Amino acid sequence: MIRLGLDIGGTFTDIFALDESTHEIFTFKIPTDPAALHQSAIAGIKKLFTNLKVSSHQLRYIAHGTTVGTNAVLQRRGVKTGLLTTRGFRDILEIRRLTRPPEMLFNPLETPPEPLIPRYLVKELDERINYRGEVIKPLNEDQVLQTVEELARQGVKSIAVCLLFSFLNPVHEQKVAQIIKNSFPGISVSLSSDVLSEIREYERASTTMINAYIAPIIQSYLETMVKEIQDLGLHKDRLYIAQSNGGLTSTTTIMKRPITALESGPAAGAVAAKLLGDILNFKNLIAFDMGGTTTKACLIIDGSPRVTLDFSVGGKTSTGRSSRGSGFPVAVPMIDLAEIGKGGGSIAWVDENQLIRVGPQSAGAVPGPACYGRGGEEPTVTDADLMLGMLNRNKPLGGEIYLNYDKAEKAVMDKIARPLGFNSIEAAAAVYKITTSNMADAVRLISVESGYDPRDFVMVCFGGAGPLHGWLIMQELKVSRMVIPKYPGLFCSLGLLAENVVHDYVRTLITEVNRADIATLDEIFHQLEEKGNEDLQADGIPESKRLFFRTLDMRYVGQLYYINTPVKEVRLNDAVQRFHRLHEHHFGHSFPENSVEIVNLRVKAVGLLPGISFRKEARGKRSPRDALSGKRKVCFPDSDLVSCWVYERSKLVAGNLIEGPAVVEQLDSTTVIPPSMVAEVDAYGNLHVQRD
């Protein structure tokens, strides 16, 4: 049987297939069609069938990572959405929180992004449920119908419903949904009690807003995907969708809560980095993923990717706790990724102050960078990489696209060099350095600003452009070792095959620890685990392959925010001590004498899938010279052109040592090794880059 990881990126669609019987691996890339992403996915599946001469019944499952939802939010291309809320709370999306990210603290002209739902589409309902979950003002059903009719006339295609204290009693929200479905079946409905059934009104409203905003787009995409794979002879149950929490789930689950797939593709990269760390016995890693459109960074601490309950999307930087206020809160469990709008296709430009900027605008796959020769005229990071000699002008990128040096040089000269009085190489080097510096800042955001020293970590660089820029980030952050995986440009699609089925559940119960009733807590945990059993049963996961993990959201009495704290059984004393230690680590202090309270109970239900393993190769007898494919000049920033040996990575064997300066080329990526560093191939085919 064959398992398939399918990751659709902004430039390429990546395919990583594993034959379970022979452990053979098959990889390839195809250009992404931005206008019809599902066609790129289906083309990848068909190419797999053709190349391997296999049929649909030999495919165990497809694990699919998609950025459809993320792109809809970042590009503000979701459907027209309305919000129904309790009377008196119409401005909840406008008021937000008082927290401001660093870039707004000292710039009064810097403003947060406009809500995805404009104020005129936010309507109030006459109803009220109190803090005990008791109905103190019944829902006016006639008013609901009139209000929805008004939204429908205004062209609304999706409605978010977020009523006060619905996480304690969802009866009013459920009635609103019933009225909408009966009278306006064409309008999509997202209930906060389904999307995020927990305390914190603004975060619940924001998360439900995004869910409603992307729901029709995700649902349409998945319905098309399911139909297409059924036409290929595959049952829809064999299509798993990657979630932002690093797990897989069914298409049915994602259609109900598309918010959980917001960062599904990038999260798979963090899972792959964790797998690599397990194999190489590295517990603390920086996962650095630079693709064609965006760059993502994530920390893996003690062998586990950091997970946040306070992600922010749609701002200048999408990330977790470190940048509250920069975008829209998403309070579902997500791998804590720092994401910036800079990748190989990011456009370089000169601002009104004659400063070079890079991104967030991207040339995308069409027309793409100027060097693609598809009509693009704006200079991009890829154009700069080509001009500096880091990319090969005589070999097709991804095996598909030949790069045109003259077009790259013209774009850089016309838009960057000439306006600033530079020559073209100086301009390209400046673009390279600025891009890399911005990406180093993203790594600092999830490390230094969260209390971690990058020097204590090993950096894993992947994505099509990650190994091109990794060495300079490594140098800037003083990281001692960088690992380039065997398949860097396909690493996220590999990670999809390392994921398990995951479901997250939450229940709010605010109580001081010293007053908590153990039996009540245990009963709630059992109820959440029972729900997990039902969902894993529906996913076809046998009982012997199910795991459950309990956590408590805890805080000191009087605090607003909480820390998610693991708990075994219901041993509250152990959980409190663990909370004090976590508070000390995150904030530099703790208050062991203060009372601690529980806010939420959480359960993570995991259904174990086969996973993925790699063969260990014996130390090879071939010399690195046997892998040489030529020589070319490369311009490293702040230096002159340097003559570099070029190696074919597929011909390198375990134990080969390469001294910089050098370039290592492969189908899915290119690795640059500067003069001051050396690279060694390990027994699994990974490149370890260190200072000489």
Side-chain angles (χ1 to χ4, degrees), residues 96 99-114 314-317 323 325-327 352 357 360:
R96 314 172 196 251
T99 50
R100 292 170 66 84
E103 64 266 20
M104 294 184 187
L105 286 177
F106 306 107
N107 185 356
L109 301 180
E110 192 77 41
T111 58
E114 289 294 319
K316 287 193 172 181
T317 301
S323 194
S326 66
E352 65 275 11
R357 304 282 188 179

Side-chain angles (χ1 to χ4, degrees), residues 126-145:
D126 280 324
E127 64 82 40
R128 194 61 179 257
I129 291 173
N130 69 11
Y131 68 97
R132 292 193 181 97
E134 301 164 343
V135 176
I136 57 175
K137 188 172 187 180
L139 181 70
N140 185 331
E141 297 183 19
D142 291 336
Q143 186 211 11
V144 173
L145 187 58

Side-chain angles (χ1 to χ4, degrees), residues 487-624:
Y487 308 99
L490 297 148
F491 205 52
C492 288
S493 55
L494 180 159
L496 292 169
L497 297 186
E499 293 188 356
N500 295 307
V501 175
V502 176
H503 296 282
D504 289 296
Y505 309 93
V506 60
R507 183 82 58 83
T508 294
L509 178 69
I510 301 177
T511 178
E512 288 190 38
V513 169
N514 56 13
R515 297 179 182 176
D517 181 63
I518 300 297
T520 299
L521 297 179
D522 203 42
E523 176 60 25
I524 293 173
F525 274 130
H526 279 303
Q527 290 173 5
L528 297 178
E529 288 167 351
E530 187 56 38
K531 175 61 177 168
N533 267 316
E534 292 174 6
D535 289 340
L536 291 176
Q537 179 71 30
D539 290 329
I541 304 296
E543 193 170 342
S544 61
K545 299 292 184 180
R546 301 174 196 170
L547 300 175
F548 298 92
F549 300 92
R550 298 176 173 186
T551 60
L552 295 170
D553 291 340
M554 307 179 80
R555 65 189 181 190
Y556 293 116
V557 173
Q559 286 185 325
L560 175 62
Y561 292 98
Y562 43 74
I563 295 176
N564 185 246
T565 308
V567 59
K568 293 183 179 180
E569 301 300 327
V570 189
R571 299 171 184 168
L572 293 184
N573 288 336
D574 292 346
V576 168
Q577 294 306 313
R578 192 173 292 114
F579 165 76
H580 289 316
R581 291 194 296 271
L582 288 171
H583 198 283
E584 178 78 32
H585 174 79
H586 285 303
F587 304 109
H589 61 272
S590 62
F591 305 101
E593 69 283 358
N594 286 18
S595 296
V596 176
E597 67 180 0
I598 296 167
V599 181
N600 298 308
L601 291 79
R602 298 182 186 272
V603 165
K604 180 183 291 291
V606 178
L608 298 177
L609 293 176
I612 186 170
S613 59
F614 299 100
R615 292 174 177 170
K616 191 172 184 178
E617 302 291 341
R619 192 176 182 88
K621 296 181 180 180
R622 291 202 306 266
S623 163

